[in-house]
Amino acid sequence: DFMHAFENDIKPAFGVSKDEFDSYIANGIIIWGSPVTEVLDEGNLRISQTIKSEMTPLVSILIEGPPNSGKTALAAHIALLSKFPYLKFCTAQTMLGYTEMSKCQQLKKIFEDAHKSTLSCVVVDELESFLEYAPVGPRYSNTVLQTLKLLFKRSPPKGRKLLIIATSAYRDILEQLGLAQSFSKIIHISNISTGEHVLHVLSEIEHSFSVEEMKHLKKSLANKQVWIGIKTLLDLIEVARQADDKYRVARFLASLEEVGGTV
Amino acid sequence: DFMHAFENDIKPAFGVSKDEFDSYIANGIIIWGSPVTEVLDEGNLRISQTIKSEMTPLVSILIEGPPNSGKTALAAHIALLSKFPYLKFCTAQTMLGYTEMSKCQQLKKIFEDAHKSTLSCVVVDELESFLEYAPVGPRYSNTVLQTLKLLFKRSPPKGRKLLIIATSAYRDILEQLGLAQSFSKIIHISNISTGEHVLHVLSEIEHSFSVEEMKHLKKSLANKQVWIGIKTLLDLIEVARQADDKYRVARFLASLEEVGGTV
Amino acid sequence: DFMHAFENDIKPAFGVSKDEFDSYIANGIIIWGSPVTEVLDEGNLRISQTIKSEMTPLVSILIEGPPNSGKTALAAHIALLSKFPYLKFCTAQTMLGYTEMSKCQQLKKIFEDAHKSTLSCVVVDELESFLEYAPVGPRYSNTVLQTLKLLFKRSPPKGRKLLIIATSAYRDILEQLGLAQSFSKIIHISNISTGEHVLHVLSEIEHSFSVEEMKHLKKSLANKQVWIGIKTLLDLIEVARQADDKYRVARFLASLEEVGGTV
Amino acid sequence: DFMHAFENDIKPAFGVSKDEFDSYIANGIIIWGSPVTEVLDEGNLRISQTIKSEMTPLVSILIEGPPNSGKTALAAHIALLSKFPYLKFCTAQTMLGYTEMSKCQQLKKIFEDAHKSTLSCVVVDELESFLEYAPVGPRYSNTVLQTLKLLFKRSPPKGRKLLIIATSAYRDILEQLGLAQSFSKIIHISNISTGEHVLHVLSEIEHSFSVEEMKHLKKSLANKQVWIGIKTLLDLIEVARQADDKYRVARFLASLEEVGGTV
Amino acid sequence: DFMHAFENDIKPAFGVSKDEFDSYIANGIIIWGSPVTEVLDEGNLRISQTIKSEMTPLVSILIEGPPNSGKTALAAHIALLSKFPYLKFCTAQTMLGYTEMSKCQQLKKIFEDAHKSTLSCVVVDELESFLEYAPVGPRYSNTVLQTLKLLFKRSPPKGRKLLIIATSAYRDILEQLGLAQSFSKIIHISNISTGEHVLHVLSEIEHSFSVEEMKHLKKSLANKQVWIGIKTLLDLIEVARQADDKYRVARFLASLEEVGGTV
Amino acid sequence: DFMHAFENDIKPAFGVSKDEFDSYIANGIIIWGSPVTEVLDEGNLRISQTIKSEMTPLVSILIEGPPNSGKTALAAHIALLSKFPYLKFCTAQTMLGYTEMSKCQQLKKIFEDAHKSTLSCVVVDELESFLEYAPVGPRYSNTVLQTLKLLFKRSPPKGRKLLIIATSAYRDILEQLGLAQSFSKIIHISNISTGEHVLHVLSEIEHSFSVEEMKHLKKSLANKQVWIGIKTLLDLIEVARQADDKYRVARFLASLEEVGGTV
Ligand SMILES: Nc1ncnc2c1ncn2[C@@H]1O[C@H](COP(=O)(O)OP(=O)(O)OP(=O)(O)O)[C@@H](O)[C@H]1O
Ligand SMILES: Nc1ncnc2c1ncn2[C@@H]1O[C@H](COP(=O)(O)OP(=O)(O)OP(=O)(O)O)[C@@H](O)[C@H]1O
Ligand SMILES: Nc1ncnc2c1ncn2[C@@H]1O[C@H](COP(=O)(O)OP(=O)(O)OP(=O)(O)O)[C@@H](O)[C@H]1O
Ligand SMILES: Nc1ncnc2c1ncn2[C@@H]1O[C@H](COP(=O)(O)OP(=O)(O)OP(=O)(O)O)[C@@H](O)[C@H]1O
Ligand SMILES: Nc1ncnc2c1ncn2[C@@H]1O[C@H](COP(=O)(O)OP(=O)(O)OP(=O)(O)O)[C@@H](O)[C@H]1O
Ligand SMILES: Nc1ncnc2c1ncn2[C@@H]1O[C@H](COP(=O)(O)OP(=O)(O)OP(=O)(O)O)[C@@H](O)[C@H]1O
Ligand SMILES: [Mg+2]
Ligand SMILES: [Mg+2]
Ligand SMILES: [Mg+2]
Ligand SMILES: [Mg+2]
Ligand SMILES: [Mg+2]
Ligand SMILES: [Mg+2]
């Protein structure tokens, strides 16, 4: 049964699971503009803070931004940058079908394991999924909320350091729930907002458009405003790639306009 | 007991169950106008996208439209068009009496099985029934909602592809619940809206009206506006067919006006 | 205990239980006016539709009207008219004390049995009682609601036909709950509304009033408006019958005015 | 434990329990005015109705009025007047600590037993206590509500008759809950409202006031308006009786004014 | 575990537990003014009423007033004054951790035991704690509410008498919940409201202030208005007592002003 | 499982656990201004009150203030100052994953143990965490609330004394819930509000800024207003310390302005 499945699902939490982290960065990290650089700088600063600080053994950051803006990939990337001996990626996906209690127990276990390592980094992806937040009601698991609040403020034992990286697309809800306040720092990642950003991404994707096509796109996209997450942009490029050569550019620009506002 | 019945109800999920799919298209797919063509085109595009895409191994579409507009039949039809080795039709009908947990477990199982095949297509019919949505309250199963949200965003393992086709008559509610946002593409199917559409359907049904009657109907329906789902239209034709020869046309036009607005 | 009692209460569902149907028409069906004829005509039409239709193997109708208007008796009567080999009368009375789950299970069983017969007719009396609807809150069983929604739309297997007849005094609530939409046709039965209707009923009841008294009543009731359900009217006649001969007519007219508005 | 206690509490329900009925009329029925006579007349009428009626084998009445107005005593009194072979007094007091389910089961049992006797009378005292109604929320047991609704409308089997007498101080709430509508007749009992009513009660109580005192009281109370339940009035008389001879009348008039408004 | 602890906590309920009652009057009953006398008079009256009454074998009073006004001590004191053979003090403190059901069961047991004695007095302290009332929501235990309502109106068997003394700081809430109405009499105890009351209390406490200090206090407090519960006043005296001799009076007056309004 | 883990987590509660208390004052108590002195004075007063009082064996105080203002450290510090033989620090952190019932049971146990010692001090940190308070709804555990209310008012047995120190960042919510009223005294700790306070803290931290830098800071911060908790200030100092020498002062002032308002 479910509970049985649950027990068999638990894997040893110690040790780095680099493969798992890589799977969340399936299409790499493209430095499409300064918003990306700023997030990575802040991430690096917090990593060294965790290592060197004396008075603050617990550093916790929240990466928040619109859907598809690359939050999960950035969180996984920063965690890998830390090279801490204990790395753990927590996602509600692996706890599907667990009772609230089981989720809390597993989260508690992960943080207790993290406290056993000198330097640990725990990613908690999509807080809203852990909270089982639904806007109609609204409904959420207060049990999970209380557990996360306590775990995010639990200092590691003397001599140990812990970096927590959480992600969410619902900053306002976390603030209403009093969970946003638990973080030392909240980092915002914005959508891609200029034609230049888009061109930067296009230039980094192999085989996407021909030199000729790129010329056309540069003209069309220069000084234009868009509003699109990196994950959605990669999807649009992918769709355009399947189209016939002659429709490719037009289709891409059309769908960019449909999804991402006026180009 | 119920749980027992439940366990015995579970059938092996692998393999194509073409007969079951056919039962949802009992009266075929009549191409009564461009709205139908557009849905089928979009469906075909998404099928080839699923097959060829590199960066997006998961494609999910939602077919939404008014009650009786043919959503279920279209979803089943597109799934059959894909000819994917793993095809699965999920409906709340087969989970009647299951606990929320059992529903979630079964849905999880279906997606896990889909992830085992190189090319899979899963239809999830009538999302509102799975969610047990009732407008007074409103009430719904948050457990099922969270499960569907996670399953609709769960990428298949490396090298595997998955096409998800969901249907619903309540697009606005799915948006309020944050579930509409999980889909790559939302496809709208409208009701039949012109006399020409109706005549097209009539011409495809055997033995419905005589040549004489059709002449009369063509005059009456030309350039008229209606608003009726294909399933309801088929019902009206059926009722008219049982009537005496002389009342047939009048009765059909009268009931069309009663149900489908001003003809 | 209760669950035990429950299991022993379940009787074999197959076969016609004419006696049970008759008990719901204890005082017969008096054709007091055109509203009654219309309901019976519509009923007959739907019966032949069920028998002959090719494209619509499932026909479902809802008989709705004010309390005491004769809904239950009419539903039972139409079901008996069909002479279908499988007839079943479902009422919340026989499921008193069942859990929501047990109710759903039993309803499911009844429909599954109905699906096994070539021609079946299932009466579901007083939907509001099955739903355990209470206006303060409001409260209702969503489990039963979802079950009924699904069962009312579940097509019988190929070659089988099913006629569903439901009754309710709360049409508006069924519409709010999205249950009214499940029916192919909603049939309204009104209260008795004219003095002529009342006189018609009186003339059909044996030993109610003497020839002399009837003369008096005809004068008093001619061209008067009333608003009373057939069941309540039969009660008033019964009460008057117990009174002394001289007070009989006056008492009857007075109580008719008290209950049924201005005579 | 509780459930155990519950099982041992159940006593055989058949047979007349006159003593129990008497205990609810501890201070007799004083005919203090026409409101009392009217209630008793209506009660007698319904008794004979139950015995003689052919078309209405189920008669149900609700006695409603302010707190302490004597509802329980009147219901018990009317039940005893019927002299029916099966008499049963149901009160929430004997079901204290039962679960909702147990209450419903016991109520069901009582009505099933009543259905086994040719002529039965069941008193259901203080509906609000059975419903566990609390105005803050509001809260109530929908399970009990649904059970009572069904039981109050369940006809006895052919050839059997049943008279139901219920009491309540919250008519408006029963109407909101749709329970008031289940009764054939609602009977109102008012508070004592004139000085004459009070004097009538005083004249029937032994040893309450001396002839001298009564003279004084007659002067004071003549043509005065009060508003007091019979139970409260008996309490005030009792309190006055304990006081010193000289203060007795003054004290009684003062407390009557305090509780029952301007004398 | 808890339930186990529960069973072991139950002590024999019969017999007078004078020591327990005394513990609730730890600092005696100081007759600081007429409000105290009035409460005690009313209490005495009710005691004799209970003993002598014929028509009202059940007398129930509610002592209500602001927090710290001495409600619990007064209730315990009146109970001891009765010298009834069965005395019982019920407080939520001894039922901490019980389920709602266990609380109700224990309350029921206490009243059943009381019904076995010819003359019984039961104190139910702090009704709001039994009800688990919390203003946010609001929330309360309807199970306990219904149980108390029934127990407070349950007459002892023939020949037995019962006096119920309840206390509460939330009269308005008891009225909203329909519980205040269950009492024969509601007795209000006010806060200490004049300087004279305060001086009376000071004069009764040993070693609190010197003769000199009292002179000063008499001047300062004469004709002043305060608003303070007896329990809070005793606290302030206690705090002042710990202070240095020269600051004592000033500190006492200052804190009296801070807590009890303008002196 | 969880419950098992729970049982194994319970440690003997008797005896002083000085190490645990110290861990909550990891960075000492810096006397940065009069708000700190006032809290400590009040704490000392209450300690001696507890020791010497005759009439009030139970003293309970609530330390409340904004997040990060040092509440927990101050509560732990005052508890250590008392040097009472029984010291206990209660925090929701150690009860993570407990059921409401288990929490209440453990709290009850702690207070029962405290009642066994002549002089006891119990710290209950972050009442909102024990209450599982969430602002959306709002939601909270009424079971824990009722338990805390009762425990905070439960007098120790004769001859024993108890000092309760609770902390909270949500005074308004405790007042709404009726919990604030349970305390003898509420002590407010404010944020650091002037540049002088900040300079005081800086002067007490070793190696934070050079003499040169301090000169600069004194100029910048003199007569400035800030609004920052001591815990947040220590964090900012820590971050600045990691920066390059030349940016150190500027960075510190900038972040102080970002977090703590206009400097
Ligand atoms: N600069 C970048 N930042 C983030 N992701 C990037 C970047 N460049 C490329 N990517 C790719 O974009 C995708 C981002 O998807 P990701 O799941 O992280 O988005 P998300 O914001 O978490 O989405 P969701 O709102 O659904 O949680 C990944 O495949 C990642 O490899
Ligand atoms: N162009 C068409 N599109 C869809 N269905 C068609 C079409 N032409 C004929 N049909 C027939 O119409 C019926 C459509 O019924 P279907 O159950 O799919 O409607 P639906 O919109 O899912 O209804 P519901 O709102 O009740 O879920 C099927 O019997 C199908 O064979
Ligand atoms: N024309 C008629 N239509 C319906 N019932 C009739 C008619 N003539 C006589 N009757 C009798 O009237 C009674 C109708 O009662 P019935 O229980 O069907 O009413 P109802 O509308 O279902 O009441 P409720 O609102 O309580 O469910 C039956 O006894 C039936 O035999
Ligand atoms: N005419 C009367 N009608 C009713 N009760 C009477 C009458 N005369 C005397 N009594 C006595 O008055 C008392 C009425 O109490 P009863 O419990 O019936 O009141 P109630 O309205 O049911 O009170 P509650 O609102 O608490 O349920 C009984 O003791 C009864 O013997
Ligand atoms: N006249 C008096 N009335 C009541 N209590 C008095 C009086 N004189 C002295 N006391 C003492 O004052 C204290 C009153 O405390 P008590 O617990 O009864 O107050 P309370 O109103 O019940 O408080 P709470 O609102 O917390 O329940 C007791 O210690 C009692 O001995
Ligand atoms: N005067 C002071 N008062 C309190 N804490 C101080 C003081 N000086 C230095 N500190 C240090 O500041 C920190 C205060 O953190 P603490 O956890 O007590 O804050 P808090 O208000 O309880 O935070 P939270 O709102 O998260 O509960 C401790 O590390 C403590 O050693
Ligand atoms: Mg993500
Ligand atoms: Mg469909
Ligand atoms: Mg009916
Ligand atoms: Mg009564
Ligand atoms: Mg008290
Ligand atoms: Mg703290």
Side-chain angles (χ1 to χ4, degrees), chain D residues 71-72 125-126 167, chain E residues 153:
Chain D
K71 302 172 295 295
T72 302
D125 192 36
E126 270 187 42
T167 77
Chain E
K153 285 184 70 178

Side-chain angles (χ1 to χ4, degrees), chain E residues 1-2 5 9 27 68 91-99 126 128-129 131-140 170 205 231 234-235 237-239 241-242 251 258, chain F residues 42 45-46 48-49 52-56 101 104-106 108 133 138-143 145-151 153-155 173 175-178 181 184-185:
Chain E
D1 67 330
F2 237 34
D9 271 15
N27 298 309
N68 303 310
T91 159
Q93 283 285 5
T94 60
M95 303 192 189
L96 196 65
Y98 285 26
T99 62
E126 269 187 42
E128 54 270 28
S129 294
L131 295 173
E132 294 172 34
Y133 186 84
V136 177
R139 305 211 195 144
Y140 60 92
Y170 292 87
I205 309 278
K231 199 163 74 179
L234 296 180
D235 281 357
I237 295 169
E238 185 72 60
V239 173
R241 196 186 280 187
Q242 325 283 344
R251 178 168 193 113
E258 190 192 327
Chain F
E42 189 72 45
L45 185 76
R46 296 294 161 178
S48 57
Q49 229 184 314
K52 293 187 221 146
S53 81
E54 274 167 40
M55 278 156 62
T56 56
M101 264 305 190
C104 293
Q105 184 184 10
Q106 185 139 348
K108 193 184 159 201
Y133 185 84
R139 304 211 197 143
Y140 60 92
S141 162
N142 194 23
T143 308
L145 175 61
Q146 299 299 330
T147 299
L148 288 176
K149 267 192 189 172
L150 288 173
L151 291 178
K153 285 184 69 178
R154 183 181 275 187
S155 284
I173 283 149
E175 268 164 9
Q176 280 171 40
L177 292 171
Q181 292 83 322
S184 329
K185 180 83 190 174

